[in-house]
Amino acid sequence: MEVAARNGAELALSGELYRAAGQNPLEGGTLQGPVETAIRGRSGMMTVWFWRCR
């Protein structure tokens, strides 16, 4: 939630979750990414996709 809010999105999905769900699993918005971002409490970067309401 922190990463989503910091990037002006309603939801942030990990790359792994995005692959498991299939392309654009959420209707009524747009899915943007991938973006490499730092996650508090994790070492290194993580691939994230952002979902934004239309």
Side-chain angles (χ1 to χ4, degrees):
M1 292 179 69
E2 178 183 324
V3 172
R6 190 172 63 218
N7 288 277
E10 283 72 35
L11 182 64
L13 296 97
S14 68
E16 187 175 312
L17 182 57
Y18 172 76
R19 283 187 297 281
Q23 276 198 316
N24 208 3
L26 304 170
E27 295 183 23
T30 58
L31 195 58
Q32 298 172 328
V35 175
E36 291 292 317
T37 188
I39 306 291
R40 184 175 50 161
R42 295 185 65 129
S43 62
M45 302 292 276
M46 184 172 186
T47 301
V48 176
W49 291 79
F50 296 108
W51 184 80
R52 293 178 173 87
C53 290
R54 289 188 184 163

